[in-house]
């Protein structure tokens, strides 16, 4: 199941469980995990993209190690809410993960990277440290937004 509807996603996971958030880029995949009760999200690994089969294998390893029950993938919409070529690529990436048997929610990530960049600049992190961490922290920001929406009625 792939959905953008938070209520449908929530219904697919009636017992909760750990979620894996993904910020899918062309060079890296930032990952984040949340607790089983959907309270807080934390940055996890940064996967350097190579071939899709290797990217997927890295995700499968992380999913198994962390007992993940569902995926939240950041959806890079245009500012007006329309799809872009990057959006279509992300949708295709999600479709290629459907055989994992986990529910997948696509979550609007329009402002995630900018918000994370501003936060890291405010924390006075160097450009090199920001570049190294931005995708993992953006994945955490995306996942936190999703679990906040999932836990409010």
């Amino acid at each position: 199941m792939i959905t953008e509807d938070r209520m449908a996603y929530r219904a697919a996971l009636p017992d909760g469980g750990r979620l894996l958030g993904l910020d899918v880029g062309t060079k890296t995949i930032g990952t984040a995990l949340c607790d089983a009760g959907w309270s807080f999200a934390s940055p996890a690994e940064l996967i350097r993209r190579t071939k899709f089969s290797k990217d997927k294998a890295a995700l499968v390893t992380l999913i198994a190690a962390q007992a993940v029950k569902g995926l939240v993938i950041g959806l890079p919409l245009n500012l007006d809410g329309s799809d872009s070529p990057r959006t279509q690529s992300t949708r295709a990436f999600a479709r290629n993960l459907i055989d994992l048997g986990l529910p997948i929610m696509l979550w609007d990530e329009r402002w995630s990277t900018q918000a994370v960049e501003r936060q890291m600049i405010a924390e006075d992190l160097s450009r090199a440290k920001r570049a190294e961490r931005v995708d993992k922290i953006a994945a955490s920001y995306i996942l936190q937004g999703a679990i906040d929406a999932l836990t409010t009625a």
Side-chain angles (χ1 to χ4, degrees):
M1 162 187 139
I2 299 175
T3 186
E4 293 178 46
D5 180 340
R6 69 183 173 104
M7 298 311 289
Y9 187 75
R10 186 175 172 178
L13 292 162
D15 299 325
R18 290 196 91 175
L19 302 178
L20 176 63
L22 303 177
D23 181 26
V24 181
T26 56
K27 296 180 182 178
T28 61
I29 302 170
T31 68
L33 292 159
C34 74
D35 61 303
W38 300 351
S39 299
F40 58 90
S42 302
E45 297 178 21
L46 182 68
I47 298 170
R48 302 241 180 252
R49 298 209 52 191
T50 56
K51 293 177 18 179
F52 178 76
S53 60
K54 290 183 179 182
D55 300 344
K56 187 174 181 180
L59 290 172
V60 166
T61 299
L62 183 57
I63 288 165
Q66 297 295 330
V68 169
K69 302 296 183 201
L71 303 175
V72 175
I73 301 175
L75 188 63
L77 298 168
N78 287 322
L79 290 180
D80 66 0
S82 63
D83 281 3
S84 68
R86 191 78 211 122
T87 308
Q88 292 304 319
S89 174
T90 300
R91 289 182 193 282
F93 185 89
R95 284 191 302 273
N96 287 326
L97 296 179
I98 197 74
D99 64 339
L100 297 178
L102 299 174
I104 299 171
M105 182 167 65
L106 300 175
W107 189 256
D108 182 353
E109 66 152 76
R110 278 181 268 193
W111 296 104
S112 63
T113 301
Q114 292 86 351
V116 167
E117 281 280 349
R118 281 192 304 271
Q119 176 186 349
M120 289 191 294
I121 288 169
E123 293 171 3
D124 203 27
L125 287 177
S126 70
R127 185 179 303 270
K129 286 187 180 181
R130 289 195 315 264
E132 172 186 311
R133 298 177 186 172
V134 69
D135 293 324
K136 295 188 301 188
I137 297 173
S140 179
Y141 184 90
I142 291 163
L143 182 56
Q144 188 66 54
I147 62 176
D148 289 348
L150 289 166
T151 56
T152 57

